[in-house]
Every structure is written in C-alpha cells, then in structure tokens.
Amino acid sequence: MVPFLLKRLISLALSLLAASVVIFLVLQVVPGDPASYMLGMNAQPETVEALRQQMGLNEPLVWRYLTWIAGLAHGDFGISYTYKVPTAELISQRLWVSLPLAVYALVLSTLIALPVGIIAAAKRNTAADYGIMGVTQFGIAVPNFWFAMLLVLLFSITLRWFSAGGFPGWSAGFLPAMKALTLPAIALALPQASILARVTRSSLLDTLSEDYIRTARAKGLTRSQTLVRHAVRNAMIPVLTIIGLQFSFLLAGAIIIENVFYLPGLGRLVFQGITQRDLIVVQSVVMLLVFAVIVITFLVDIAYAVVDPRLRSRS
C-alpha cells in the first residue's frame, strides 16, 4: 500500500504544479487591465501606470508566478484588487457556503441514486426498470437552473415554505442555514442523482453477468442475497468514480445555482472576480478548486484500493 500511496502523491504534486502554470498563464492573456478597470475609463495614463506599479502588474511574468506560488505555499493568497482585503479571508467566508452546499447536494444525490439504481438492476426489463430509466433520463435532460426556478416558484412563491434566496449565515443557527441551502441542494442533486443511478444500474448489471455471480447462485444463494453480498460491493468502483467527480463538480460548478439563489459562495465570488478583473481572486479560487478536485481524485484512488486490493498490485 505504501508504494501505491507514494506514486499517487507524486502524481498529485505534479498535477498541482501543471495546473498552477496553466491557470496563471490563461488569466494573464484574458483581455482587460485590472488597474484600468478599477480607475475607470477616464483615468489618466499616469494614474493607471502608478496603480499597476503598486499592484505589481509591471513585474516580469515569471516573478509574478513565483511570488504567487510562494504565497500559496504559506497560505497567503494575496490582496484582492477590488475588496482590498486578503483573498484568503474572502475564500474562507465563501467556502462555508459552497462546501456545505456541495456536501448536502452530494448526500441527497447518493441517498436517492444508489437505492434507485440497485432496484432498477434487480428489476431489469420490468415496468419498474423502464420507469426509473425514464425518470433519470428526464433528470439528466432538465437544466438545473430551470429546475431551480421551478423550485422557487413552487416552494417559495406558491407554498411559502422556503425563502427565494439569500443565506442568513451560520450565526443564525444550523437549521435556518440548512433550510436556506435546501432548494439549491435539491436543484444540484437532481441531475447528479440521475447520472449516478444509471451508472449504478449499468455497473450492477455488468457485475451480475460475471462467472462468480453464477457460481454463488449455483451454491444456493437467492438473487437478492447474491446482489447484496457479492454484486453491490464489486460494482462500486465506477460508482465511486462518479461520486468523486460529482463532488468536484458540485463544489466548483455551482456558479449558476449560487446566482439564482443569491448565495455568497465560491462560484459567485469567481463570477464577480471575472467581471471586476480581480485576477488575484480568480486565480486563487480556481487553484483552490483544482486542488480540491485533485485531492478528491486521490481519495477515490485510495477507495479503489480498499474496495479492490488487486489494484494496489497493478500500480
């Protein structure tokens, strides 16, 4: 297990290094000057140049990259051009919205998808299977922002069970905060649950066709016993892959949902940073999200090795 972990850690470090270079270079070629944006179109060139000097935008590209990476290594994400506060402070405030939202949506998605996928596989080619596959196809096809607006119309405007948007903060209490995240989490969970249910069904059907499953049935186990004792665990590797990717997507890809519900999360912070040309915020948040994706992938690899020890010997 130790060589397996070392190889994965080296791969993680190299991936982070490559991602940091790509993120930094891409943002440098994006049109627009942060100093000009901050001062407005009527600012004098001398004033713009002085602000660029103050912000370090005139430094050589390599030096700016190394300074940024050195700061990240020490937990210093720089100072936001727009908000004039440490970027780490902005990220920490927004992370306490985006992270619980992603976890909430992932839990909902998993709790819905796994039982539904198992039932569909167990009832293959029956009315229940066809019905589940039809519903999941609908869930994949429906855009989550459209579904979010339907949720607002039904539960906020018509039934008045939830607020239409905003976040009261965790200081208002756990239940009020979770209530504010419920509709966004449902909107994010629906398409992910549909995808995960279909993957679970397909993986289980592939597993049920294996020789060892037929051997278990020949020894006298019922179809349900074979499914629970042997098939489900061995079918979990593709499912774990999707769950890991979904968490990364939910953490990094909720920009539209956060804007629909006016949630002060990381996605909305990135959107605001792009529109305001706050490059230090954008590149730091994106780097943090890439780090989260890579770490989650690393944890999924470890989960693979735990579920299927044969993978350790192949790595």
Side-chain angles (χ1 to χ4, degrees):
M1 193 67 178
V2 174
F4 174 83
L5 290 176
L6 287 176
K7 290 179 181 178
R8 291 298 183 271
L9 285 172
I10 293 172
S11 175
L12 185 151
L14 293 176
S15 299
L16 282 175
L17 180 62
S20 68
V21 173
V22 172
I23 291 168
F24 184 82
L25 292 178
V26 167
L27 289 177
Q28 301 312 306
V29 300
V30 173
D33 179 23
S36 299
Y37 184 91
M38 293 171 64
L39 293 175
M41 297 180 60
N42 298 322
Q44 296 296 322
E46 297 81 6
T47 307
V48 174
E49 185 62 25
L51 183 58
R52 285 182 57 84
Q53 188 70 31
Q54 180 182 346
M55 296 166 64
L57 296 175
N58 290 333
E59 298 290 342
L61 196 65
V62 174
W63 176 256
R64 284 159 55 195
Y65 170 76
L66 293 176
T67 302
W68 175 56
I69 289 298
L72 291 181
H74 293 87
D76 180 10
F77 291 80
I79 303 297
S80 167
Y81 299 157
T82 304
Y83 299 98
K84 304 298 183 182
V85 297
T87 303
E89 182 179 326
L90 290 173
I91 292 175
S92 63
Q93 292 171 354
R94 306 301 181 94
L95 187 63
W96 283 107
V97 177
S98 293
L99 184 59
L101 175 61
V103 173
Y104 195 179
L106 185 67
V107 169
L108 290 177
S109 172
T110 305
L111 290 178
I112 294 169
L114 293 186
V116 167
I118 292 172
I119 292 171
K123 304 291 185 180
R124 182 183 184 184
N125 295 331
T126 65
D129 182 25
Y130 294 140
I132 289 172
M133 289 300 97
V135 171
T136 56
Q137 185 62 47
F138 174 78
I140 294 172
V142 173
N144 56 13
F145 67 87
W146 183 80
F147 184 59
M149 289 187 287
L150 289 183
L151 291 175
V152 171
L153 287 173
L154 176 60
F155 293 103
S156 299
I157 297 175
T158 303
L159 298 177
R160 300 181 182 274
W161 290 355
F162 297 89
S163 63
F167 185 69
W170 295 104
S171 59
F174 179 77
L175 291 179
M178 292 302 291
K179 185 178 180 180
L181 295 178
T182 297
L183 292 185
I186 294 173
L188 287 170
L190 175 67
Q192 305 307 316
S194 301
I195 295 170
L196 188 58
R198 296 178 75 91
V199 171
T200 302
R201 175 186 180 274
S202 299
S203 182
L204 270 175
L205 291 178
D206 290 341
T207 304
L208 288 170
S209 65
E210 296 289 342
D211 291 339
Y212 66 87
I213 297 295
R214 287 191 287 269
T215 301
R217 291 296 304 278
K219 289 182 178 180
L221 293 181
T222 66
R223 183 177 176 83
S224 299
Q225 289 173 329
T226 305
L227 185 71
V228 173
R229 295 184 186 180
H230 299 283
V232 171
R233 178 176 178 180
N234 290 287
M236 282 298 104
I237 289 182
V239 176
L240 287 173
T241 302
I242 298 300
I243 290 176
L245 293 174
Q246 285 185 343
F247 183 74
S248 303
F249 168 79
L250 292 170
L251 184 60
I255 296 177
I256 296 178
I257 295 299
E258 287 182 359
N259 279 278
V260 169
F261 289 96
Y262 298 99
L263 296 177
L266 288 177
R268 200 167 181 210
L269 179 62
V270 170
F271 177 77
Q272 293 170 339
I274 292 173
T275 57
Q276 296 167 350
R277 297 293 301 149
D278 200 341
L279 297 183
I280 192 67
V281 169
V282 175
Q283 65 191 25
S284 296
V285 174
V286 173
M287 190 64 202
L288 178 66
L289 295 176
V290 169
F291 175 76
V293 171
I294 293 174
V295 169
I296 291 167
T297 304
F298 173 72
L299 295 176
V300 170
D301 287 341
I302 295 176
Y304 284 174
V306 172
V307 173
D308 189 352
R310 294 172 298 176
L311 296 175
R312 297 199 292 265
S313 60
R314 296 175 188 172
S315 301

